Amino acid sequence: MPRLSEKLTLELNAQMGREFSASNQYLAMAIYLDDKSLSDLANFYYRQSEEERQHALKFMHYVLDADALPVVPELPKPKSDFESVEEIAEMSLSMEREVTGCIHNLVDLAMEERDHSTNRFLQWFVEEQIEEEATFNRLLDVTRQSTNLLLIDQYVSRLEPTGGPDEGA
Ligand SMILES: [Fe+2]
Ligand SMILES: [Fe+2]
């Protein structure tokens, strides 16, 4: 009997796709910001994009290690034009909240199936999402409180992505 159920394999693959989509969306945001010469913000989003790619690869390796087959998905076209930095921060936070919901649904499924290995694997992402939501909440606060784009750009250099729960602690 394979270690991963068909249903969990499908859902973990779907989550890998969402992480790749987030990576592409953050890349599109980075390009928009870079084009506006908001370099620190752009760099923050380039790093965020890279982080999401690493998340996708974590799911890919987990599925492979569990003797199931990850499938590289077709990805939706990311949004590339924005009204403001605030719109970007709002969209980022709502993307992260959606991902948190998806991760929690995956944990529910793993628990229903009494798949302790997958549950353990997913706990890293449960923690990571707490940090991700907090980071984008702070960015959104700052963009709402300041109309000065250069100040926002400077502030963001203090919002380093942590690289995940087991790093930088
Ligand atoms: Fe992620
Ligand atoms: Fe994220």
Side-chain angles (χ1 to χ4, degrees), residues 1-13 62-63 66-69 106 109-110 112-115 118:
M1 191 179 114
R3 191 154 86 53
L4 269 186
S5 73
E6 239 172 76
K7 183 153 191 218
L8 259 177
T9 304
L10 214 70
E11 294 301 325
L12 289 169
N13 262 322
Y62 181 78
V63 172
D67 209 16
L69 203 59
L106 275 166
L109 183 59
E112 270 166 39
E113 295 191 6
R114 304 180 60 82
D115 182 337
T118 300

Side-chain angles (χ1 to χ4, degrees), residues 19 52 55 129 132:
E19 302 288 347
E52 300 299 351
H55 293 170
Q129 284 310 117
E132 296 265 85

Side-chain angles (χ1 to χ4, degrees), residues 125-144:
F125 287 94
V126 171
E127 267 190 65
E128 170 68 5
Q129 284 310 117
I130 296 171
E131 286 176 13
E132 296 265 85
E133 284 194 30
T135 300
F136 285 109
N137 240 321
R138 282 197 294 272
L139 179 62
L140 186 56
D141 277 349
V142 173
T143 56
R144 281 185 177 155

